[in-house]
Amino acid sequence: MTTSPSPPLRPDKPLQNLLPPDLWKLLARHDITTLAQVDALYPAKLLKIHYLGPVRFRQIEELLFPGRRYEVPVPALIETDDLDGTSLEGLVSRRVLITLRRHGIKTVQQLVVAYPRRLVEITGFGIKALREVEATFFDGQRFEPMKSRKTIRNTIK
């Protein structure tokens, strides 16, 4: 028994009929309601949508663009000495970047000065974020925080 290929999707077809409810609702919140709109935003602008992470992005690819796969470029390892005034944009994940910016850390130099004492005091900056920063900027270093933030603050001072 052979299966015929599925008919091509019509650009004006509503996403509500093509995607799981949580996914089409997320896109609808951003006024994206048709396949044509998703196609126009694919891939770069889709990746910038708040709460649309890699897993949901792959879901959209599989369901709406079978056979297409966007590969996110991986940043090369960098030397921090060359980046004193350089922004953290593109060097750390969006989540870490937002958390650091909320606390006034916007450049590599500010991050290096804040490591580890100030970073572990930031609410919302957990062990995963700390490990990401260490892997990117402090190769081979691994700060081991204590059980509670209060103990960490007292130990580092």
Side-chain angles (χ1 to χ4, degrees):
M1 180 172 132
T2 58
T3 59
S4 61
S6 59
L9 298 173
R10 291 189 349 246
D12 62 340
K13 189 158 185 163
L15 295 176
Q16 187 172 2
N17 303 329
L18 302 172
L19 297 173
D22 64 322
L23 200 49
W24 70 259
K25 286 178 185 177
L26 171 71
L27 294 174
R29 273 186 253 138
H30 295 277
D31 295 323
I32 303 166
T33 57
T34 66
L35 181 59
Q37 289 173 311
V38 175
D39 195 30
L41 298 173
Y42 178 83
K45 291 184 181 176
L46 272 182
L47 287 167
K48 291 182 181 179
I49 293 176
H50 198 55
Y51 295 117
L52 185 87
V55 172
R56 288 181 170 173
F57 179 79
R58 292 293 177 220
Q59 255 186 314
I60 290 171
E61 274 186 329
E62 290 170 8
L63 295 170
L64 302 181
F65 308 111
R68 285 168 72 180
R69 185 166 174 94
Y70 175 73
E71 293 299 327
V72 179
V74 178
L77 291 175
I78 54 168
E79 294 293 325
T80 56
D81 298 339
D82 303 334
L83 298 171
D84 283 345
T86 303
S87 168
L88 293 168
E89 186 85 34
L91 301 175
V92 293
S93 69
R94 183 176 170 86
R95 183 182 63 82
V96 170
L97 181 66
I98 290 169
T99 303
L100 291 173
R101 281 186 178 170
R102 282 187 189 137
H103 294 275
I105 301 172
K106 298 176 183 170
T107 66
V108 173
Q109 185 177 17
Q110 291 171 331
L111 178 71
V112 170
V113 169
Y115 175 80
R117 186 182 64 75
R118 185 162 172 224
L119 295 182
V120 297
E121 292 176 350
I122 294 174
T123 302
F125 193 88
I127 195 72
K128 284 185 177 181
L130 183 64
R131 295 298 175 241
E132 179 183 332
V133 166
E134 288 173 336
T136 305
F137 299 104
F138 303 99
D139 193 31
Q141 292 187 35
R142 187 173 172 96
F143 178 75
E144 292 298 333
M146 305 291 191
K147 294 287 182 203
S148 74
R149 289 185 185 272
K150 187 175 181 180
T151 308
I152 294 169
R153 284 187 214 114
N154 293 336
T155 305
I156 298 173
K157 290 180 183 174

